[in-house]
Amino acid sequence: MRSHYCGQLETSLVNETITLCGWVNKRRDLGGLIFIDMRDRTGLVQVVFDPDQAALFDTANSLRQEFCIQLTGVVRARPDSQVNATMATGAVEVMATELTILNRSAPLPIDFNQHVSEEQRLRFRYLDLRRPNMNHNLQFRARVTAAVRRFMDSAGFLDIETPMLTRATPEGARDYLVPSRTHKGKFFALPQSPQLFKQLLMMSGFDRYYQIVKCFRDEDLRADRQPEFTQIDIETSFMSAEQVMEVTERMVQNLFREMLEVDLGAFPQMTWHEAMRRFGSDKPDLRNPLELVDVADLLTDVEFKVFSGPANDPKGRVAALKVPGQAESISRKNIDEYTQFVGIYGAKGLAWMKINDRAAGRDGVQSPVLKFIPDAALEGILERTDANTGDIIFFGADSATVVAEAMGALRLKLGQDCGLVSDEWKPLWVIDFPMFEEHDGQLYAIHHPFTSPVNTTAEELKANPTTALSNAYDMVLNGVEVGGGSVRIHDSEMQQAVFEILGISKAEAQEKFGFLLEALKYGTPPHAGLAFGLDRLVMLMVGASSIRDVIAFPKTTTAACVLTDAPGLANADALQELSIAVSLKETE
């Protein structure tokens, strides 16, 4: 039906007759002439209708926004004075000779020249996707996946599919369950990741596997989470953590060079403990220069219990956050707002000091807690934070967890509010995570129960589980975790030790993971892997603020599809066939 795409017309086609198909993006009637901007997925081109062709001109006069049309015409160069430098096709236009209206459009239910709510955008997603930025995002995503496949294929990885209907996998979120008609009362689970299957592929000898795969997690949503999302899933045999990191780092470097002409350079590495100490986060945004500084040892003997309490508690922390040059610009009203902000993360308050005159010592410091801080401790704080005249220092004093979360979040907010965040790309590897974390006396795996510890035996791990480090690694980019992985356990004794530490009995382990434990008996090779969040990666690359802007048909934050009105009710016959009865309270 067409010979060319709108966005591909250029001066080399001048005087050629071409046929286009697409939509009316805009119509302009200048009295003697009618102009339209015609659009397809490649872009726009200007079309001119001559009144001397009466029938054609009359049809063109009926065109309205989003009419779907087929058009034949002659490409001609625009006069120099009329070249549109903002359009890729701005040097040419098409003089129409034939026009067919393939389909008319009703008045649009949304006006993209006005503010449109996200719910409306998702309700009419097929219209929303016609917008240039959404069109660009999805085309960019397609090129990203093509580039990933080219790199992985060239590096010797095999693209192997894994099942969508499977057993539950321990990934830390609730599963989406699928009832079985042929096995009454039993359920499949949609995979939270292909974790167990990719390990089984390594046990099968496939050596290097990758897959761009859908994953499903029933969890609370936010801007960078969806109930169904896409991973670039990678697993290898006979490769160390360092080798996995090297090949995946090259993949991302290659991706940024090819797609954005950006050289990310070599990725620095930082331990989890250092990241938490300096930034209060295991995914620090290195574009932000602000850092946390520990000052608990300077405050153990002060009378101010807000400081001395956490300073003397082995699980407590007192951290200072200096913001250079902002003492005057950050008002008391701002400080009150920041105090409320850290309260979201459990902080009971937010102490502060303004350094009005560094040379004047105590007399040059303004702070409501100054009277509680001895001279030696004050001078120690100013020296350790490298405070200067015009700086302001905020303090977090609480449990180490609360301080990290509250002050880490405050660091990000202050960086944005004060315009301190650079526009560079800042990649990072975070390594040496703790193997386990404790909640209410119970230990949980930081990553998943198949992650191998670093340089320890099964007996040593059981004796000191809280001090063990996992052989895990996360790739962080501009404060967003874009990928994470680990060396896997390939020894049945170590796997059983981890299950024991996590309180998973032998019977439960056999019931849930019996097939994996059985496979570990038969010459399992050392293996390691990593999974990237494709949606997050593309979101960063196109500069979007939500992964919903890089997914064709995403869900809302309540995990609903307003376009198709899903999820919906199942009919009674289908439920009966599945031996399922639904019981809802009146309020539901």
Side-chain angles (χ1 to χ4, degrees):
M1 292 182 69
R2 62 182 162 200
S3 62
H4 294 77
Y5 281 92
C6 295
Q8 296 174 346
L9 301 186
E10 55 186 18
T11 53
S12 64
L13 296 172
V14 167
N15 295 326
E16 286 197 24
T17 298
I18 52 93
T19 300
L20 305 173
C21 291
W23 288 265
V24 177
N25 193 69
K26 184 186 294 185
R27 175 183 174 277
R28 303 183 300 283
D29 188 341
L30 301 184
L33 294 172
I34 292 175
F35 293 86
I36 67 167
D37 289 340
M38 187 172 176
R39 185 193 73 242
D40 59 25
R41 72 178 176 89
T42 64
L44 300 169
V45 69
Q46 178 171 283
V47 179
V48 186
F49 294 90
D50 190 332
D52 290 342
Q53 300 186 55
L56 177 64
F57 194 81
D58 187 57
T59 304
N61 198 41
S62 69
L63 294 178
R64 295 296 182 268
Q65 187 180 9
E66 297 306 315
F67 275 30
C68 184
I69 61 175
Q70 181 190 47
L71 181 141
T72 299
V74 178
V75 179
R76 67 183 190 183
R78 291 201 204 184
D80 290 343
S81 60
Q82 297 178 18
V83 169
N84 185 347
T86 65
M87 288 175 61
T89 60
V92 297
E93 62 187 9
V94 178
M95 175 58 72
T97 56
E98 297 178 34
L99 171 64
T100 302
I101 297 176
L102 300 173
N103 215 328
R104 297 173 182 270
S105 173
L108 298 181
I110 47 181
D111 181 357
F112 288 113
N113 294 316
Q114 307 286 330
H115 173 72
V116 179
S117 70
E118 186 170 47
E119 183 171 351
Q120 282 291 92
R121 288 178 54 206
L122 296 180
R123 166 68 181 83
F124 298 100
R125 189 61 161 182
Y126 43 86
L127 297 178
D128 186 46
L129 291 176
R130 293 182 187 178
R131 291 191 298 126
N133 67 314
M134 290 303 302
N135 182 293
H136 166 266
N137 288 355
L138 292 192
Q139 290 199 50
F140 188 95
R141 179 183 175 125
R143 297 200 305 274
V144 166
T145 58
V148 167
R149 292 186 188 282
R150 285 194 299 272
F151 180 89
M152 298 307 291
D153 292 344
S154 68
F157 286 81
L158 300 175
D159 183 355
I160 305 176
E161 292 183 348
T162 53
M164 284 293 165
L165 296 176
T166 181
R167 289 189 68 106
T169 56
E171 296 288 335
R174 291 176 292 273
D175 292 300
Y176 281 100
L177 300 177
V178 180
S180 170
R181 178 184 59 81
T182 54
H183 300 276
K184 302 295 187 185
K186 294 186 177 182
F187 295 81
F188 295 104
L190 299 180
Q192 294 189 36
S193 86
Q195 183 61 48
L196 299 179
F197 287 105
K198 63 187 181 184
Q199 289 192 248
L200 291 170
L201 285 170
M202 296 304 102
M203 298 170 190
S204 304
F206 283 99
D207 194 68
R208 292 190 177 196
Y209 141 95
Y210 85 98
Q211 185 182 190
I212 298 178
V213 61
K214 280 287 187 185
C215 302
F216 306 86
R217 295 183 187 176
D218 185 5
E219 58 188 347
D220 295 334
L221 304 184
R222 58 190 186 203
D224 61 350
R225 280 183 180 171
Q226 280 279 291
E228 53 178 320
F229 58 96
T230 306
Q231 282 187 181
I232 305 169
D233 205 49
I234 300 167
E235 197 77 9
T236 69
S237 296
F238 308 113
M239 287 179 69
S240 66
E242 291 75 16
Q243 290 171 317
V244 173
M245 292 163 67
E246 187 275 333
V247 72
T248 52
E249 180 175 320
R250 277 197 293 115
M251 185 195 81
V252 174
Q253 289 169 332
N254 180 76
L255 196 59
F256 271 72
R257 277 195 301 269
E258 182 174 334
M259 301 298 299
L260 299 177
E261 297 183 349
V262 168
D263 182 2
L264 291 177
F267 293 13
Q269 295 186 16
M270 182 181 298
T271 67
W272 179 88
H273 284 93
E274 182 183 356
M276 297 302 292
R277 175 177 59 81
R278 294 173 57 190
F279 307 107
S281 171
D282 59 4
K283 47 182 185 295
D285 187 347
L286 299 186
R287 298 173 302 166
N288 183 340
L290 303 181
E291 293 194 22
L292 305 183
V293 177
D294 286 311
V295 293
D297 59 307
L298 302 174
L299 299 166
T300 54
D301 298 326
V302 302
E303 295 181 6
F304 191 43
K305 296 298 183 184
V306 170
F307 281 172
S308 61
N312 287 285
D313 184 346
K315 294 186 178 180
R317 184 180 183 189
V318 185
L321 179 64
K322 182 193 74 173
V323 189
Q326 299 295 321
E328 289 189 13
S329 60
I330 295 179
S331 66
R332 285 300 301 268
K333 181 176 181 291
N334 297 141
I335 293 172
D336 290 342
E337 291 170 350
Y338 290 135
T339 302
Q340 289 184 330
F341 176 76
V342 296
I344 297 171
Y345 301 89
K348 302 178 184 67
L350 183 64
W352 55 272
M353 287 181 182
K354 288 189 175 184
I355 318 304
N356 298 324
D357 185 355
R358 177 67 175 92
R362 174 179 292 274
D363 293 337
V365 176
Q366 174 190 356
S367 171
V369 301
L370 185 62
K371 59 186 176 183
F372 302 113
I373 311 298
D375 288 345
L378 176 61
E379 186 59 30
I381 290 169
L382 298 179
E383 286 187 7
R384 191 170 295 180
T385 58
D386 193 25
N388 293 298
T389 299
D391 297 347
I392 182 171
I393 303 172
F394 293 98
F395 295 88
D398 210 305
S399 70
T401 300
V402 168
V403 169
E405 292 182 357
M407 298 302 287
L410 180 63
R411 169 185 173 268
L412 294 178
K413 183 167 178 57
L414 284 165
Q416 291 290 344
D417 291 352
C418 299
L420 301 175
V421 180
S422 74
D423 59 0
E424 303 171 271
W425 291 101
K426 289 289 188 178
L428 172 72
W429 284 108
V430 178
I431 61 173
D432 290 347
F433 287 77
M435 186 79 177
F436 305 103
E437 59 185 349
E438 185 178 347
H439 294 293
D440 301 324
Q442 173 68 41
L443 290 178
Y444 298 88
I446 289 279
H447 282 80
H448 53 65
F450 313 110
T451 298
S452 178
V454 176
N455 298 329
T456 189
T457 66
E459 289 304 315
E460 290 170 342
L461 183 67
K462 287 190 287 185
N464 297 290
T466 57
T467 61
L469 299 178
S470 65
N471 204 347
Y473 33 84
D474 281 0
M475 184 185 290
V476 178
L477 184 60
N478 291 2
V480 177
E481 178 199 329
V482 293
S486 67
V487 173
R488 321 302 189 189
I489 295 171
H490 68 282
D491 172 77
S492 57
E493 183 184 1
M494 179 64 78
Q495 188 64 76
Q496 190 55 54
V498 171
F499 285 157
E500 186 178 323
I501 291 167
L502 296 174
I504 300 174
S505 67
K506 288 186 177 181
E508 184 183 359
Q510 189 62 38
E511 195 273 331
K512 288 184 175 180
F513 317 113
F515 59 94
L516 180 70
L517 298 176
E518 179 73 13
L520 285 172
K521 298 177 183 178
Y522 303 110
T524 298
H527 56 289
L530 185 146
F532 287 99
L534 176 64
D535 312 299
R536 289 185 186 180
L537 194 57
V538 176
M539 175 189 74
L540 289 174
M541 296 179 79
V542 300
S545 58
S546 166
I547 62 172
R548 291 189 289 276
D549 283 339
V550 297
I551 297 172
F553 300 102
K555 306 295 189 291
T556 66
T557 53
T558 59
C561 176
V562 292
L563 172 64
T564 61
D565 198 23
L569 298 173
N571 67 55
D573 291 342
L575 291 175
Q576 184 175 8
E577 193 171 20
L578 293 167
S579 300
I580 291 176
V582 176
S583 176
L584 293 176
K585 299 177 183 178
E586 288 187 15
T587 55
E588 297 175 308

